Amino acid sequence: MRPKLVVGNWKMHGSLSGNKNLLQGLVAGVGAIGEVSASVCVPFPYLAQAQQMLAATPISWGAQNLSEHAQGAYTGEVAAAMLLEFGCRHVIVGHSERRALYGETDAVVAAKFVAAKSAGLVPILCVGETLAQRESGQTAEVVAAQMVAVLDKAGVGAFAGAVVAYEPVWAIGTGKTASPEQAQEVHAAIRALVAGRDEVIAAGLQILYGGSVKAQNAGEIFVKPDIDGGLVGGASLVVDDFLAICQAASR
Ligand code: 13P
């Protein structure tokens, strides 16, 4: 069985004092969450704080983006090697907010995935369809195209030890979750796509669900066979909610 993973995506939220309370609460509660790995992806300026507060705990941390370049004249960008200096384990790649608001194309996302993986970070590759795409029956095609762009560039071998997150855009921050059956269907399709290139890597690939995961719905989502945990936005900012979601993944 694949181990479960729950990752908090703080997005652009936080403050030094607020983070301190949140992280202290998570550390205090983490002993009770059982067999699940937990991680928080924080804004860049708070990586040092996460490193300091989480280093001696079972909780990992990471970033929400990185540059596709190793170094150079790229004002405002952050390289994989810099994330490693702050002890990052994970980095989110190709979140739909970055695709939609910052123009990240499949090609850029693929290059970022390669940069993360080759530096030794665990990329969390986000894929997912918009509401219009779902309503016009294009979900499978859109998600497959997003996956293939990265598989072709990185090679299937790069998916060993990487993570994929299926995040339907219409479910992010809206309170609308994909039904467990809808999510399972897409997760199974993602795994089958990877299996077409390498069955062993596909069988070991952690595929997280993201989009309005809450303490109340996490259990019914995580019980599905191809759902290996969650990528959690809003609920990751509340200690008890995030811990309850981790707990739901450990059952
Ligand atoms: P919400 O959990 O707030 O819907 O956000 C999901 C998400 O985008 C995680 O990356």
Side-chain angles (χ1 to χ4, degrees):
M1 241 197 39
R2 286 175 297 275
K4 290 276 203 276
L5 170 66
V6 176
V7 179
N9 173 10
W10 287 8
K11 306 195 180 183
M12 199 174 73
H13 294 287
S15 64
L16 287 171
S17 61
N19 303 344
K20 191 172 170 201
N21 289 333
L22 177 50
L23 293 174
Q24 271 173 348
L26 295 181
V27 169
V30 76
I33 63 175
E35 290 299 301
V36 54
S37 300
S39 184
V40 289
C41 290
V42 308
F44 293 132
Y46 300 136
L47 284 173
Q49 185 186 27
Q51 182 179 33
Q52 193 203 347
M53 292 191 64
L54 299 176
T57 78
I59 304 173
S60 308
W61 62 96
Q64 301 167 12
N65 183 28
L66 84 166
S67 171
E68 65 271 43
H69 304 291
Q71 63 172 356
Y74 301 105
T75 301
E77 292 291 288
V78 175
M82 299 171 185
L83 301 182
L84 286 170
E85 286 203 298
F86 288 91
C88 287
R89 174 166 172 76
H90 297 106
V91 60
I92 298 171
V93 173
H95 192 280
S96 62
E97 286 152 15
R98 297 217 53 91
R99 293 178 190 258
L101 303 173
Y102 301 97
E104 288 192 11
T105 60
D106 279 343
V108 168
V109 171
K112 289 186 174 195
F113 183 95
V114 170
K117 195 71 194 358
S118 47
L121 292 159
V122 176
I124 302 174
L125 170 66
C126 298
V127 296
E129 80 288 1
T130 63
L131 185 59
Q133 289 166 334
R134 174 160 283 269
E135 286 177 344
S136 58
Q138 292 177 290
T139 299
E141 187 186 320
V142 167
V143 171
Q146 290 170 335
M147 286 295 302
V148 165
V150 182
L151 280 163
D152 283 352
K153 165 101 180 168
V156 68
F159 280 74
V163 175
V164 172
Y166 169 54
E167 298 206 312
V169 177
W170 49 272
I172 295 177
T174 58
K176 282 188 209 156
T177 344
S179 71
E181 292 69 30
Q182 283 174 321
Q184 164 59 26
E185 189 183 353
V186 179
H187 282 231
I190 291 170
R191 198 176 305 286
L193 183 72
V194 177
R197 302 194 184 206
D198 189 311
E199 286 188 12
V200 174
I201 289 174
L205 181 65
Q206 286 178 311
I207 308 177
L208 312 183
Y209 170 78
S212 296
V213 175
K214 306 287 174 213
Q216 298 84 333
N217 60 23
E220 60 181 27
I221 298 170
F222 296 164
V223 81
K224 292 291 179 190
D226 287 295
I227 302 184
D228 306 309
L231 182 56
V232 184
S236 74
L237 301 171
V238 180
V239 173
D240 289 348
D241 291 356
F242 191 65
L243 289 174
I245 293 168
C246 291
Q247 216 147 24
S250 78
R251 279 186 213 116

